[in-house]
């Protein structure tokens, strides 16, 4: 996918394969020993206040575009 990043996707076979629902999984393997790989976490909001929302609620697509990234993972 990119230097130091591998991508894979997998799925089950619904119905006749014993699964009632289709499931799809996406995987990224990141080579953290590659010196050109940098991790980026969501920055705190500029107008942050205690007990409020700490980060902006971007979609993954907008997060990628706004920060000029190559890959984003939605996790918590």
């Amino acid at each position: 996918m990119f230097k130091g990043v591998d991508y894979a996707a997998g799925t089950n076979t619904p119905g006749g394969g014993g699964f009632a629902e289709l499931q799809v999984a996406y995987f990224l393997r990141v080579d953290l020993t590659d010196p050109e790989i940098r991790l980026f976490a969501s920055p705190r909001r500029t107008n942050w206040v205690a007990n409020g929302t700490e980060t902006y609620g971007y979609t993954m697509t907008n997060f990628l575009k706004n920060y000029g990234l190559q890959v984003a993972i939605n996790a918590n």
Side-chain angles (χ1 to χ4, degrees), residues 4-61:
V5 178
D6 296 321
Y7 168 79
T11 183
N12 65 350
T13 305
F19 297 98
E21 302 291 330
L22 175 66
Q23 296 178 357
V24 181
Y26 301 95
F27 305 91
L28 286 178
R29 181 173 55 188
V30 180
D31 181 3
L32 297 178
T33 63
D34 188 323
E36 295 181 23
I37 298 286
R38 292 179 294 152
L39 301 180
F40 178 81
S42 302
R44 180 181 277 184
R45 294 175 70 122
T46 54
N47 58 349
W48 177 81
V49 294
N51 299 319
T53 304
E54 189 169 338
T55 60
Y56 295 103
Y58 293 121
T59 63
M60 284 200 341
T61 303

